[in-house]
Amino acid sequence: MENEYTVYELIEQLKADETLGIEKEEREFLADTIYMSLSY
Amino acid sequence: MKAEEKINQTHQNLLAATNLTEPKKVPVNIDMGGWAYSYSGIDYESVVDDPQKCADAYCKFFDDVEIDTNLVSSCGTMCVRMYQAVGSRKYYFNEGGVAHNQAAEKYFGPEIYDDVIADPMSIAEKVIKKDCPSFSKPREEAYSDLKKALISYKAYNDTNMLISDRLTNINGIFQLQTDLNVYYMSEFSTIFDVYRGIKEALTDLRRRPEKVRAAVEALWHANNEMGMYSFDSEAIKEPFPLGHTMFHPECFLNDRWFDELYFDHFMKAIGPAMEAGKKIFLFGEGAFMRHLDRFNETPKGSMIILLDTDDPFEAKKIIGNNCTIMAGITLDLMCVGTKNQCVDYVKRSFDELAPGGGFIFSTNQEIVSAKDAKKDNLLAAYNEADKLSRK
């Protein structure tokens, strides 16, 4: 299946994505917060 | 008065009030949500992508009205753009602000209990996939949507930092941010709010109580294993920022379920922090007078309780010797009452709740949108509160 992935994998991909133009520490904070917000 | 000096004074007044002694000035709090944008005459959606304009619009109220503490630590709304980016309809722009689209909420069937019992940590993923259509798309498309969500969330976070900086350093407002390292929300609250919904969760207490109990225990153990209640022994000696708990489904529970689903775990989780000196804020939702006396078991002066629909004057009789009451003006009165009625209620609040300490003046709920309070009523109530707080 094309969409057999977890959202958490995408969150990890975001954290590592240097093309976003956001510093690593902030990227990790934002990504973790998004995952927490969407899961509630 | 300089901002730093005002914050230091408010800090001392908060300590005095919550230690159940009379402060030099009763702290005047507001739970300011999206109403701040209507006060500024700004449609929130029109500034949401510009952190500076958004922060300016939110903060104008605090430039005009004398306030000591603010309960909201964000820009007064949820990050609608983030939800929109991943296809969620949970929140939407409405009448100049933001509304929670509760009618669109979908929940799991009772089979979710077995999943929770088997692997509580796996449920977050199921919730996100249920609520966010983007994650039914192929990976690349889903990732593209998630990137948009992150960019939106960055603007939201930047706005919050601008607001926090301005309220602290310009307006001298002590922000009652909660310490999310000291936090307890009942496991049943998650079942009620996220997994099963109000009606089904409450029905489950009668039809499948053992499943509910087992799921609650599974969530409790998972949270403990993650170290959620293993607090830094030095940090919990500081009264502020406030630790946090809240009532959500608790107002619907009988005494037996209240203890089993909330109070016993609350005391196990948060009790050590209260004993060490941390002040705990209870965000109350609904009517919970019948459970209030349970908080007389907490260490004296450790709890600040925001009442919602309960009568604060009756509440003072029950917990006034042990806990601080946060009350003073209600949104329904500011919405449909007259200016005189609002001012009279504020006077009564100070007359009956302020003597002896243990009182923080506040709205009973977050002022979410323009219709929650008439501007003239709110200004009259807060002008009166400011005057009386200094006596």
Side-chain angles (χ1 to χ4, degrees), chain B residues 16 32 94 132 169 186 223 238 247 261 272 274 317-319 356:
Chain B
M32 180 55 80
N94 182 49
C132 307
N169 297 313
S186 73
N223 288 338
E238 296 297 325
F247 273 4
L261 298 180
M274 289 190 281
K317 294 174 192 168
I318 298 170
I319 51 164

Side-chain angles (χ1 to χ4, degrees), chain B residues 7-8 20 29 35 40 45 56-57 100 114 150 152 154 177 192 206 214 217 237 275 343 366 368 370:
Chain B
I7 284 179
N8 287 338
L20 310 179
N29 175 69
W35 190 88
S40 297
E45 188 175 5
D56 288 346
H100 184 184
D114 290 332
L150 183 125
S152 299
K154 178 171 166 44
Q177 291 128 323
F192 173 93
R206 294 193 302 276
E217 285 306 306
K237 291 177 184 170
E275 293 287 353
V343 168
E366 181 181 341
V368 175

Side-chain angles (χ1 to χ4, degrees), chain B residues 279-338:
Chain B
K279 306 272 185 190
I280 305 298
F281 173 65
L282 167 62
F283 185 90
E285 287 189 332
F288 48 92
M289 189 77 85
R290 67 184 179 282
H291 300 312
L292 264 186
D293 66 328
R294 305 295 278 118
F295 292 97
N296 283 323
E297 294 177 27
T298 61
K300 187 172 182 174
S302 61
M303 289 207 67
I304 301 169
I305 298 180
L306 176 76
L307 298 167
D308 182 357
T309 59
D310 287 316
D311 181 343
F313 311 109
E314 288 301 310
K316 179 157 173 112
K317 294 174 192 168
I318 298 170
I319 51 164
N321 290 327
N322 203 61
C323 305
T324 295
I325 292 172
M326 194 183 253
I329 187 67
T330 64
L331 260 61
D332 56 355
L333 193 54
M334 292 196 292
C335 178
V336 300
T338 65

Side-chain angles (χ1 to χ4, degrees), chain A residues 2-3 5-11 13-14 17 20 22 26 29-31 33-35 37-40, chain B residues 83 90 124-125 127-129 135-139 142-143 146-147 150 153-154 157 185 189 193-194:
Chain A
E2 201 172 9
N3 57 355
Y5 54 85
T6 66
V7 180
Y8 196 76
E9 285 169 16
L10 300 185
I11 291 287
Q13 193 178 334
L14 265 187
D17 192 337
L20 293 165
I22 301 171
E26 186 181 9
F29 166 75
L30 294 172
T33 308
I34 288 172
Y35 189 77
S37 300
L38 295 179
S39 67
Y40 196 87
Chain B
Y83 288 96
K90 197 167 187 174
E125 191 76 20
V127 171
I128 298 175
K129 288 198 166 175
F135 303 114
S136 299
K137 295 179 180 177
R139 182 177 183 127
Y143 186 65
L146 194 57
K147 279 202 288 190
L150 183 125
Y153 199 84
K154 178 171 166 44
N157 193 53
M185 186 175 195
S189 187
D193 221 19
V194 187

Side-chain angles (χ1 to χ4, degrees), chain B residues 18 52 56 61 74 85 107 145 183 191 215 259 277 281 311 337 354 366:
Chain B
T18 55
Q52 189 61 59
D56 288 346
F61 172 83
S74 70
Y107 299 101
D145 290 348
Y183 176 75
I191 292 170
D259 281 351
F281 173 65
D311 181 343
E366 181 181 341

